[in-house]
Amino acid sequence: MRRLLPDPGPTTVEEQLEGYRPWEEPREERPLVAMNFATTVDGRAAIGGVSGPIGSETDTAMLAGLRTRFDAVMIGAGTMRAECYGRLAKKPETRERRERLGLPPEPLMVIVSGRLDLPWDAPLFTEGGEVLVFTASAAEPPQTESSVRVVRRQDFIDLGQALRHLRRERDIRALLCEGGPGLHAELEGGNAVDDLFLTIAPKLAGGGAPRILEGELPRVAELELAWLLEDGGELFARYRRRS
Ligand SMILES: NC(=O)c1ccc[n+]([C@@H]2O[C@H](COP(=O)([O-])OP(=O)(O)OC[C@H]3O[C@@H](n4cnc5c(N)ncnc54)[C@H](OP(=O)(O)O)[C@@H]3O)[C@@H](O)[C@H]2O)c1
């Protein structure tokens, strides 16, 4: 892997992320929020309905590396239904690495769901650990091996409020949001995205798959490029919101 910007030269995923310490920069009333997405050159955020076929092994390593640097990971219900997540930090070495950085051994998994229509047989719910669900549904989640805590709101989850809840009630200093495109639009619309990690895979997929952001924004968000890496023709960008 090489770094194209800034300071061109050889690098690795690990080396690049070493100095990235988002938990040291919580905002006043919410965690620092970073989004992570992979896209094809024609802007598709899914191939065959899932994101896995977009990126390479290096992209997977980048995502795994990022996950070791956040207190919590958030996804929308659509992403959970499509991607069927498992636990985020099962390996002892991952948990130890996180603890050495001063982070909880496993990130808190947070799901935003209007209807609470989630794949309850997914490994995330059967492998133990803790999941926090913000929902507008009055339904009760089924009994699962993992501990599922529910925060209920009426009709709609205000993501600004949800972020404040995570900061105040759960001491979440840094949150990695892994999508999907609907959640991204809501967070951007609320000025709540600080960093955007974007992998651009050298592929064209066509079809009608969503882009990395789907929905209206009140205004165009201006970004600056904080770094750009390349590996085998795949680009790894980190954008920051221009303040
Ligand atoms: N390329 C990538 O990096 C990447 C990353 C993530 C996802 N994806 C792809 O994106 C697709 C999924 O897209 P999506 O738009 O369905 O995903 P999404 O944004 O993860 O989920 C949308 C759902 O989240 C819930 N939700 C979001 N905001 C809410 C709010 N404020 N209040 C209540 N509920 C809220 C609703 O759930 P309910 O339906 O429960 O009401 C809504 O239907 C999949 O194909 C996935 O593979 C790609």
Side-chain angles (χ1 to χ4, degrees):
M1 169 175 270
R2 61 193 172 126
R3 185 172 48 245
L4 304 176
L5 282 172
D7 312 322
T11 189
T12 61
V13 169
E14 208 159 275
E15 191 185 311
Q16 194 63 31
L17 293 180
E18 207 169 75
Y20 183 60
R21 301 171 74 87
W23 64 93
E24 291 179 351
E25 296 180 54
R27 298 321 192 217
E28 207 172 307
E29 291 210 316
R30 64 165 175 86
L32 178 146
V33 176
M35 296 289 316
N36 183 74
F37 275 103
T39 177
T40 60
V41 170
D42 57 332
R44 310 293 170 177
I47 297 178
V50 289
S51 60
I54 297 175
S56 65
E57 278 177 21
T58 310
D59 176 51
T60 306
M62 180 64 82
L63 179 59
L66 280 172
R67 284 175 176 173
T68 63
R69 311 189 81 78
F70 286 83
D71 292 314
V73 169
M74 178 190 268
I75 52 172
T79 298
M80 184 61 203
R81 287 190 287 266
E83 311 280 348
C84 273
Y85 274 56
R87 271 185 82 163
L88 296 178
K90 254 170 72 179
K91 289 189 190 150
E93 58 269 31
T94 310
R95 299 170 72 88
E96 280 158 23
R97 199 160 142 215
R98 288 178 55 86
E99 285 186 299
R100 277 200 299 277
L101 292 172
L103 293 163
E106 183 155 16
L108 174 67
M109 187 77 211
V110 181
I111 301 178
V112 180
S113 172
R115 299 173 287 135
L116 211 61
D117 172 20
L118 297 171
W120 299 108
D121 56 350
L124 180 66
F125 299 114
T126 60
E127 289 179 339
E130 191 190 353
V131 184
L132 182 71
V133 184
F134 286 93
T135 188
S137 164
E140 286 299 328
Q143 199 64 35
T144 54
E145 196 58 41
S146 309
S147 143
V148 178
R149 286 168 201 270
V150 175
V151 177
R152 282 180 216 283
R153 300 281 184 256
Q154 269 197 335
D155 304 328
F156 184 74
I157 313 299
D158 177 328
L159 291 183
Q161 260 183 26
L163 293 179
R164 286 193 290 280
H165 175 97
L166 289 170
R167 180 79 196 101
R168 249 194 332 252
E169 309 294 327
R170 305 298 306 245
D171 195 23
I172 300 299
R173 300 159 295 176
L175 174 88
L176 178 66
C177 182
E178 298 185 4
L183 215 56
H184 189 190
E186 289 178 58
L187 288 168
E188 279 291 356
N191 273 346
V193 181
D194 303 294
D195 272 324
L196 167 62
F197 290 89
L198 181 65
T199 299
I200 304 165
K203 296 178 185 176
L204 295 168
R211 290 159 295 186
I212 64 162
L213 187 151
E214 291 288 343
E216 293 296 321
L217 290 184
R219 69 194 76 80
V220 171
E222 303 281 345
L223 308 178
E224 63 182 16
L225 187 58
W227 74 46
L228 184 64
L229 320 173
E230 185 272 345
D231 186 55
E234 195 167 38
L235 295 173
F236 299 88
R238 174 186 163 207
Y239 292 95
R240 269 191 303 240
R241 176 176 277 269
R242 209 185 276 274
S243 47

